[in-house]
Amino acid sequence: MFFFEFLTLDKKRVLTLNEVEENNFYELIITTYSGLYRYNIHDIVSINGKTFKTPNIEFECKSNENIICNGTKFYVNTFNNIIKKIEKETNEFVSFFQLFIKNNRISFIIEPKNENFDIGTFKNILMKNLDKINIKLENVYIMKKGYRDSLFVKEVCPGKTITSTKLSTILDKKIGRRFYKGNNITLIWIYEMF
């Protein structure tokens, strides 16, 4: 048996399940009979509808998956939702993405699902969506198929499995670059976490 509480993202109020509001984001705090007492698991959740009278709690992201751009904190779910919206609008799908901020401008690293990915359309719609939240797009890097899998090779070490490995969506450490040319698109390999 669990008891859930919800910390507002501004850290000012702790609410119970009957006090939460739909489409707002909260950090989940749990208390269990087995000994956890008001333990903040650092999951950002939202309330999306109800099943009978019980609010539906949906996981959004971890609270440490955030960036500060132009003085505003953005959680990774903001960018997940933008990518999903673009996929729905363009029918261009992304297998994996990462992002990083430099000089208050954001760059995306994208591994598309298919080789005929229309980077121009995707980039234009991405720019428009980022403008709505006051973020300027620096660049979109298109990665070769297998980029995500290659990151697992670097991250998985003895005693760890792929299923227990979470790849970073937001890159905040030193970034290494190796450039490749192909199909009239500059492909860039970006990723070297120390």
Side-chain angles (χ1 to χ4, degrees), residues 1 3 7 10 22 27 30 32 45 50 65 72 76-77 85 87 95 97 102 110 113 124 128 135 143 154 157 160 179:
M1 186 74 100
F3 179 72
L7 178 64
D10 62 7
E22 201 165 329
E27 281 192 58
I30 62 171
T32 68
V45 297
K50 291 183 177 184
E65 293 180 309
T72 303
V76 77
N77 67 312
K85 182 180 175 184
E87 286 177 331
S95 293
F97 79 93
K102 186 176 179 183
I110 293 181
K113 281 201 179 191
N124 287 335
K128 289 176 187 172
I135 295 180
M143 305 308 293
K154 285 185 149 205
C157 55
K160 244 178 141 179
F179 292 88

Side-chain angles (χ1 to χ4, degrees), residues 12-25:
K12 292 184 178 177
R13 295 183 57 212
V14 176
L15 306 172
T16 58
L17 192 56
N18 64 328
E19 297 173 305
V20 294
E21 296 177 8
E22 201 165 329
N23 299 318
N24 283 348
F25 299 103

Side-chain angles (χ1 to χ4, degrees), residues 128-179:
K128 289 176 187 172
N129 280 278
L130 292 173
D131 281 344
K132 291 177 186 176
I133 57 173
N134 198 31
I135 295 180
K136 298 296 177 206
L137 180 64
E138 179 70 22
N139 213 336
V140 176
Y141 301 101
I142 302 298
M143 305 308 293
K144 289 182 177 180
K145 190 167 183 67
Y147 169 70
R148 177 179 171 267
D149 294 340
S150 72
L151 297 179
F152 280 117
V153 171
K154 285 185 149 205
E155 292 292 319
V156 176
C157 55
K160 244 178 141 179
T161 65
I162 287 178
T163 55
S164 67
T165 302
K166 166 81 170 78
L167 296 175
S168 297
T169 302
I170 298 173
L171 302 179
D172 60 357
K173 299 191 179 182
K174 185 176 179 179
I175 296 169
R177 295 182 179 168
R178 289 188 301 190
F179 292 88

Side-chain angles (χ1 to χ4, degrees), residues 53-89:
K53 292 183 179 182
T54 305
N56 297 324
I57 302 168
E58 290 188 5
F59 173 79
E60 295 286 337
C61 64
K62 298 301 278 182
S63 64
N64 66 345
E65 293 180 309
N66 67 73
I67 57 166
I68 296 175
C69 189
N70 299 318
T72 303
K73 184 185 276 188
F74 295 96
Y75 292 96
V76 77
N77 67 312
T78 302
F79 305 106
N80 280 334
N81 293 336
I82 288 172
I83 296 290
K84 285 178 189 173
K85 182 180 175 184
I86 296 170
E87 286 177 331
K88 193 173 188 179
E89 195 174 319

Side-chain angles (χ1 to χ4, degrees), residues 100-117:
F100 61 93
I101 294 282
K102 186 176 179 183
N103 300 324
N104 278 322
R105 296 176 71 89
I106 193 167
S107 290
F108 280 80
I109 303 162
I110 293 181
E111 181 182 336
K113 281 201 179 191
N114 63 43
E115 292 179 16
N116 301 329
F117 189 77

